[in-house]
Amino acid sequence: RKSAPAPWDPAWWIGVYLEGDDVGVTAPVKYHMMPLSSFSGSVSFRLVNMRAPYVFYMFAGGLAQPKLVCVSEGSVTFDNLWAPLSPRLAL
C-alpha cells in the first residue's frame, strides 16, 4: 500500500539566509513551507539580530530537491546591527 504524499510535496518554500551564504551548502536560518494551493498570501518570520542582513529565497521542489526560483530584491536589516542583544554581568 502506498502512503499518501505530504500536502507540501512537491512544495514551494521560502528560506531566510544571511547575506553572502551559499544556499547550495548552507541550511536556512528559517524556512516556511508553502502548500501548492497558496500562491498568494503573507508569511511572517521572527528573526534574531545575527548582525548581518537577511535575504529571502523562494524554492520549488520541496526540501529533498530544492530548485531556486527567485531571490528578494535587497536585504532586511535591523536598525542597529551592533546593539547589545542581552544584558551582561561583570563580576
Side-chain angles (χ1 to χ4, degrees):
R1 179 177 155 182
K2 219 174 180 185
S3 62
W8 57 79
D9 192 7
W12 294 68
W13 58 280
I14 297 173
V16 182
Y17 291 84
L18 294 176
E19 190 173 65
D21 280 353
D22 181 355
V23 298
V25 296
T26 306
V29 174
K30 300 266 183 159
Y31 73 94
H32 185 77
M33 303 301 290
M34 307 297 292
L36 289 175
S37 60
S38 63
F39 284 107
S40 66
S42 64
V43 176
S44 296
F45 289 96
R46 187 175 186 148
L47 300 173
V48 175
N49 184 356
M50 295 183 69
R51 296 193 164 101
Y54 289 102
V55 180
F56 295 83
Y57 294 83
M58 180 174 267
F59 296 90
L63 297 173
Q65 296 178 337
K67 294 175 182 67
L68 182 61
V69 176
C70 63
V71 181
S72 63
E73 294 180 6
S75 57
V76 175
T77 61
F78 286 80
D79 287 336
N80 185 355
L81 288 177
W82 301 106
L85 299 178
S86 59
R88 305 281 194 271
L89 178 61
L91 298 175

